[in-house]
Amino acid sequence: MKKTTAEIIDELSIANIKIFHLVDKVQKNEHTREDAKKIQDLNKYRSELVNELNQYFKERENIKI
């Protein structure tokens, strides 16, 4: 089943919040290797979500996957 625009925006918001909290841990030097890996994975997922939105609105895709 294809996601609705609202679902994509919701997932994008959640991914951004998770990235924010993990970056905060990195800046405080309280992170683990797993945290760094999570940031990489979330950034990839965020790019995929942004590309889905850009496709929907017929805008240029952001190819950072």
Side-chain angles (χ1 to χ4, degrees):
M1 185 174 129
K2 191 169 180 173
K3 297 177 193 172
T4 66
T5 306
E7 289 172 327
I8 295 170
I9 292 170
D10 183 50
E11 289 180 26
L12 182 59
S13 299
I14 293 168
N16 282 331
I17 292 167
K18 287 179 180 181
I19 290 169
F20 173 82
H21 286 290
L22 288 168
V23 167
D24 195 43
K25 282 178 76 173
V26 169
Q27 289 175 340
K28 292 177 182 176
N29 204 21
E30 299 171 353
H31 65 286
T32 63
R33 290 186 83 179
E34 291 79 24
D35 292 333
K37 176 71 171 123
K38 284 180 195 175
I39 291 172
Q40 287 178 325
D41 293 342
L42 284 167
N43 273 326
K44 180 181 176 190
Y45 182 58
R46 178 172 58 180
S47 289
E48 291 170 1
L49 292 170
V50 169
N51 283 338
E52 283 185 52
L53 285 173
N54 286 342
Q55 233 176 16
Y56 176 79
F57 291 109
K58 296 177 177 50
E59 295 183 4
R60 182 178 61 88
E61 285 193 39
N62 183 12
I63 314 289
K64 291 185 179 177
I65 296 177

